[in-house]
Amino acid sequence: MTVIERFLKYVSFDTQSDENAGVTPSTPGQMVFAKYLQSELEALGLEEISLDENGYLFATLPANVDRDIPTIGFIAHMDTSPDMSGTDVRPRIVADYQGQDIPLCEEEGIVLSPGQFPELLDHIGEDLIVTDGRTLLGADDKAGIAEIVGAMAYLKEHPEIKHGKIRIGFNPDEEIGLGAHKFDVEKFGCKWAYTMDGGEVGELEFENFNAASAKVQVKGLNVHPGYAKGKMVNSLLVANEFVSLLPNAETPATTEGYEGFFHLIGMEGEVEHTTVSYIIRDHDRVKFEARKALMKVCADKLNEKYGAGTVTVEVKDQYYNMRQQVEPLMHIIDIAFAAMQEAGVEPKVKAIRGGTDGAQLSFKGLPCPNLFAGGLNFHGRYEFVPIQSIEKAMKVVVKIAELTARRY
């Protein structure tokens, strides 16, 4: 089975995660997929295969050399984003793309266009896997899984490529920020690892956002609107006032690079009570802490105006910038950089405007930078992945294994 055949099979599994489930994995489809992968790894002849009750699947490709080489790992997540349906994914291959608009769903007029997504033009002459416009694709992160499994199969078939012990790990619930929470780093048993969870070809990332979530609760007072003067407190209006107190130029739509933001992701309520949900992001830890503090300052201002207890804010940290954990071990970045070059890929070191399981794992004692998986436009109907990008990522995994053995 080729790496592309694996990917096309994997996206047929519905593994959308659910942040409100309260269990791990958060959806049963993830365990169904994990069991399928377990059987596939068994068929490949991998060893030390384990699947626990939380849906964490580990396996080993044994070393084929006698000398002491560090055990390294490759990690990808099984879930897809809750932002769009992953049910009945129907991928289609657009061969030899030449820069044209790609109709995804003619019936609904859904088109993947370089006018809206200019990154398409970086892949002229390549073969693109696209959606039918009704679901996401699932390259985030089933492309990563296919690349890792494909690389293990390739190394099994090519014993002339010398490598140390390699561990692979597939986990649930990355998209809801819980992928690393029950990941047993000690059991995984690696000196370092790489998540295959990046986007465009060549991405090599060891910096990510510091991240937090914030729930803003607003209490109102409802009275008959005909007699409300001086009495009514409309929680919806107070909630909107809270939103207006935050910098309107610091949102995802107005920032890039190392610029952080406040992202309003939900507002639900009525006159008596409204809940506002945010995520807070910044690469700089000092600025990150200041953003969290600003949320509390805004609440205090409104409580002065409308009365104590009108607005409360609960902030929860989600993950931190992995740079401080990875930077003292730059040899693991050097190996990935060289592996890309040997695989014919130009490395592009950049900061992630997001997070990966690797960020949390790095703080749990497993340094874990992030490598490209090849997909673009994640989490929506316009997601696509070039076949050539998947193939290159698989080659990079093979080269990392080879170079690690060569250097030790």
Side-chain angles (χ1 to χ4, degrees):
M1 186 185 296
T2 69
V3 65
I4 302 305
E5 289 170 338
R6 292 184 198 281
F7 174 70
L8 294 175
K9 175 65 178 178
Y10 296 167
V11 299
S12 69
F13 289 87
D14 185 356
T15 59
Q16 188 175 8
S17 48
D18 178 5
E19 64 181 348
N20 298 311
V23 295
T24 306
S26 63
T27 50
Q30 295 183 73
M31 186 63 85
V32 172
F33 184 36
K35 289 179 179 177
Y36 171 81
L37 288 172
Q38 180 183 28
S39 66
E40 189 173 352
L41 299 180
E42 290 169 350
L44 282 175
L46 297 192
E47 300 179 7
E48 299 177 327
I49 299 171
S50 65
L51 174 61
D52 70 18
E53 68 276 9
N54 295 310
Y56 289 76
L57 176 62
F58 295 166
T60 296
L61 178 66
N64 61 4
V65 294
D66 292 332
R67 64 184 185 277
D68 187 19
I69 296 171
T71 300
I72 64 171
F74 295 94
I75 298 167
H77 63 88
M78 295 179 288
D79 63 318
T80 59
S81 171
D83 292 350
M84 189 160 195
S85 173
T87 303
D88 195 21
V89 173
R90 296 180 180 178
R92 175 167 63 91
I93 297 174
V94 179
D96 191 22
Y97 177 68
Q98 291 300 313
Q100 73 277 16
D101 285 358
I102 303 172
L104 300 179
C105 179
E106 292 188 14
E107 185 178 282
E108 298 181 27
I110 299 171
V111 177
L112 178 59
S113 170
Q116 186 176 10
F117 301 104
E119 55 268 32
L120 280 163
L121 300 178
D122 295 330
H123 298 281
I124 289 176
E126 298 181 1
D127 307 309
L128 311 184
I129 304 176
V130 302
T131 76
D132 69 353
R134 292 184 170 90
T135 69
L136 48 65
L137 179 60
D140 180 13
D141 190 22
K142 288 168 182 167
I145 297 174
E147 291 150 8
I148 293 168
V149 176
M152 297 306 104
Y154 187 88
L155 288 169
K156 288 277 289 184
E157 293 164 3
H158 293 271
E160 72 276 9
I161 300 174
K162 302 307 177 185
H163 59 82
K165 181 178 178 179
I166 300 169
R167 290 282 276 165
I168 64 174
F170 303 136
N171 60 270
D173 293 337
E174 187 270 353
E175 296 292 359
I176 57 174
L178 301 175
H181 282 215
K182 296 182 180 179
F183 193 109
D184 190 334
V185 168
E186 184 176 353
K187 179 180 177 181
F188 196 53
C190 292
K191 288 289 188 181
W192 71 85
Y194 302 92
T195 49
M196 301 297 296
D197 194 21
E200 184 63 275
V201 166
E203 285 185 2
L204 170 54
E205 302 158 328
F206 60 96
E207 293 184 79
N208 59 278
F209 275 140
N210 296 290
S213 63
K215 289 280 187 186
V216 183
Q217 306 290 347
V218 185
K219 292 181 181 179
L221 176 63
N222 196 7
V223 297
H224 190 290
Y227 307 94
K229 186 174 181 179
K231 300 173 185 175
M232 178 184 285
V233 178
N234 189 326
S235 73
L236 289 159
L237 295 177
V238 177
N240 277 285
E241 198 171 341
F242 180 92
V243 171
S244 72
L245 291 173
L246 294 172
N248 61 13
E250 297 179 15
T251 69
T254 57
T255 54
E256 62 183 353
Y258 283 91
E259 297 170 334
F261 56 72
F262 300 93
H263 182 24
L264 175 62
I265 60 172
M267 182 183 291
E268 182 178 1
E270 51 197 20
V271 172
E272 287 206 343
H273 183 262
T274 297
T275 300
V276 183
S277 301
Y278 274 92
I279 61 173
I280 304 166
R281 300 289 188 265
D282 211 299
H283 288 97
D284 184 281
R285 186 64 179 264
V286 173
K287 292 179 180 178
F288 174 64
E289 296 298 334
R291 289 184 184 280
K292 293 189 293 181
L294 180 58
M295 300 285 283
K296 301 289 180 68
V297 169
C298 293
D300 290 343
K301 286 182 179 180
L302 293 174
N303 285 330
E304 279 185 33
K305 182 176 180 179
Y306 295 105
T310 301
V311 180
T312 57
V313 178
E314 181 184 13
V315 177
K316 292 183 179 179
D317 287 356
Q318 296 171 310
Y319 52 82
Y320 303 110
N321 191 340
M322 74 171 93
R323 179 170 185 152
Q324 69 183 78
Q325 303 300 109
V326 174
E327 202 165 35
L329 305 165
M330 285 302 289
H331 64 280
I332 70 180
I333 302 298
D334 295 340
I335 288 172
F337 196 96
M340 288 188 191
Q341 290 178 317
E342 290 201 14
V345 173
E346 181 184 351
K348 301 170 185 173
V349 178
K350 57 178 289 189
I352 311 169
R353 285 184 61 80
T356 70
D357 288 325
Q360 295 183 50
L361 291 172
S362 293
F363 282 90
K364 292 180 74 171
L366 179 63
C368 199
N370 190 45
L371 307 181
F372 72 93
L376 297 112
N377 297 343
F378 292 154
H379 298 187
R381 68 182 82 244
Y382 300 106
E383 184 183 3
F384 71 94
V385 60
I387 285 176
Q388 288 79 3
S389 296
I390 292 177
E391 293 171 340
K392 288 174 182 176
M394 189 192 91
K395 289 179 183 177
V396 169
V397 174
V398 171
K399 280 293 180 183
I400 287 174
E402 182 181 359
L403 281 175
T404 303
R406 197 187 299 168
R407 294 189 177 199
Y408 286 88

